[in-house]
Amino acid sequence: MEVLEAAVHRLVKMSQSTICDAHPASAPLVASDRLSDLLRSLLETYNKRTTHRTGTFDPDTEHYPFSERLRAHQNNSESFFDLTVWALNHLRHEMEKVFFATGGYIFFAKYQVAAGDFFVVAKLTDTDGQAF
C-alpha cells in the first residue's frame, strides 16, 4: 500500500450543541512510514468491524455533492488538499444539524494498492495509540 496524499483537519463540536467550528490544516501531511502505519491500522480496524468494504454515492448530487467534487479531483480540476478543505466545511455544515454529534480529527487519504486507487475519510478521536 502506498499513501499518495493525505490531510487531517479538525472539527470542534460538543455533543448537545449546534455550533461546529472547522479548523483546516495549513498543508497536507507529508508521506512517511508513520502515516502508512496509521492508514494501515485504520483500514484493519474498519475491515474487522464491518462487512462493508467500500461506500457508494447517492445519485442525487445536488444534496450529496461529494461525488462530483471527488470526480473533479480525479480529473485534475481540483487539488487533493482543496477537496479535503471543501469536504471539511461541508461536513461542518452537516454536523451542525446533528445535536449529539461530536467533533474530532477528520483524516483524508488517497492510497494505492494493486487493485487501484482508493480514497478514505475517517473521523479520529483523541486517544492513546497512533500518532501522525
Side-chain angles (χ1 to χ4, degrees):
M1 173 177 59
E2 177 186 1
V3 177
L4 302 173
E5 298 181 87
V8 66
H9 306 292
R10 188 155 192 212
L11 285 174
V12 178
K13 183 178 182 299
M14 302 303 288
S15 180
Q16 302 180 29
S17 171
T18 59
I19 299 169
C20 185
D21 293 319
H23 298 271
S26 59
L29 296 171
V30 176
S32 68
D33 290 341
R34 291 186 87 180
L35 181 58
S36 295
D37 291 345
L38 173 65
L39 179 58
R40 189 174 291 107
S41 176
L42 175 73
L43 294 172
E44 287 172 3
T45 300
Y46 177 77
N47 288 335
K48 284 179 187 176
R49 293 184 179 182
T50 182
T51 57
H52 301 281
R53 298 288 187 245
T54 58
T56 59
F57 293 112
D58 193 293
D60 178 3
T61 58
E62 181 179 336
H63 294 100
Y64 304 101
F66 185 78
S67 62
E68 284 188 338
R69 297 298 291 249
L70 181 59
R71 196 171 299 112
H73 167 67
Q74 290 173 319
N75 294 331
N76 297 317
S77 299
E78 182 171 37
S79 75
F80 172 83
F81 191 71
D82 288 345
L83 169 63
T84 67
V85 171
W86 173 86
L88 172 75
N89 286 305
H90 183 71
L91 185 56
R92 178 198 56 79
H93 176 72
E94 293 299 316
M95 283 182 67
E96 288 176 337
K97 300 175 191 175
V98 182
F99 191 63
F100 291 105
T102 59
Y105 292 96
I106 311 301
F107 177 72
F108 299 88
K110 185 168 77 170
Y111 65 99
Q112 188 174 56
V113 293
D117 291 353
F118 294 86
F119 190 93
V120 65
V121 179
K123 178 182 165 253
L124 307 177
T125 54
D126 290 323
T127 59
D128 293 336
Q130 294 282 346
F132 53 89

